[in-house]
Amino acid sequence: MTNLNFLLIGAGIGLLTSAPVGPVNIMTLRHAAAHGVREGVTVALGAVAADLLYAALAVFGVSAVTGFVTGHEGLIKLAGGALIFGFGWRVYRSRPHMDPQAGAASALTDMVAAFLLTLTNPGVILGFVAILGGLGTWRPQPGDTSGALFLLAGVATGALVWWSGLCWGVSHMSARVDSSWLARANHLAGALLMLFGVGIYADLLIRWLV
């Protein structure tokens, strides 16, 4: 695996983990719709910072216990696949609502709120551990600090691409963004998460059959 591979894998993870619609996404959408791309992305940076912190803990944590992970990779993938599929199902079935009245909080205030909301969500760290644990040989190996850093850079890049694109789209289509739009976004994100979970089980089945 090259650093470019890790960068691309990280970007995919960043996109995937940023897509599900929740309170942070709705705050971001409100700011983008009311005040433009820059303010929306400013709010989103809080979530990106928290995601990056948890991703770093997951990357270096998984590397630190790589002996355990290698010895119990099958069990980790079983648990991780179930967790990711369950989370995807919950995202798919969720029905987010967007209040048309944007709050009076500034973008910087909501950026801090986004950071704290993401940081206090236990599903975030569990999600990163499950996804990175499920990567198997596609994750950086022990001692591969460069690979780990490129993976983290990819996570940040993927998340920023998602948030920037979302804010740009919302700022140009603010009149069309409603609860129905948010629900469709969740359906897509949930389906992708469930597909990732199924892929982990498919990989396990192929390994056991071979």
Side-chain angles (χ1 to χ4, degrees):
M1 296 288 291
T2 67
N3 287 335
L4 178 59
N5 293 138
F6 290 132
L7 183 69
L8 294 175
I9 291 170
I13 294 173
L15 284 167
L16 191 62
T17 54
S18 299
V21 177
V24 173
N25 304 62
I26 293 174
M27 280 195 304
T28 301
L29 291 175
R30 287 174 177 170
H31 280 275
H35 304 291
V37 177
R38 181 180 298 179
E39 188 157 326
V41 173
T42 298
V43 175
L45 286 176
V48 174
D51 281 346
L52 195 57
L53 175 61
Y54 276 145
L57 291 175
V59 167
F60 291 108
V62 168
S63 297
V65 294
T66 186
F68 176 85
V69 170
T70 302
H72 301 80
E73 188 167 347
L75 291 176
I76 290 174
K77 285 191 173 184
L78 282 172
L83 180 64
I84 293 170
F85 187 90
F87 180 64
W89 178 247
R90 188 178 69 178
V91 168
Y92 186 88
R93 287 175 56 84
S94 65
R95 296 292 183 270
H97 298 285
M98 185 172 179
D99 187 341
Q101 297 299 321
S106 70
L108 290 177
T109 298
D110 274 351
M111 180 181 69
V112 175
F115 176 78
L116 294 176
L117 279 171
T118 307
L119 199 65
T120 55
N121 182 358
V124 176
I125 181 63
L126 292 175
F128 276 113
V129 169
I131 291 172
L132 291 167
L135 289 176
T137 57
W138 291 83
R139 66 174 180 266
Q141 297 304 302
D144 186 2
T145 303
S146 177
L149 291 176
F150 269 86
L151 184 69
L152 293 175
V155 170
T157 300
L160 287 173
V161 166
W162 166 262
W163 287 115
S164 298
L166 183 65
C167 291
W168 182 88
V170 169
S171 69
H172 285 76
M173 300 184 299
S174 58
R176 302 180 183 179
V177 176
D178 54 15
S179 296
S180 175
W181 187 92
L182 294 176
R184 288 194 295 271
N186 262 16
H187 285 163
L188 177 60
L192 289 173
L193 285 166
M194 288 188 285
L195 184 63
F196 191 92
V198 170
I200 291 175
Y201 281 113
D203 179 66
L204 274 176
L205 181 60
I206 291 172
R207 288 173 181 267
W208 285 340
L209 290 177
V210 175

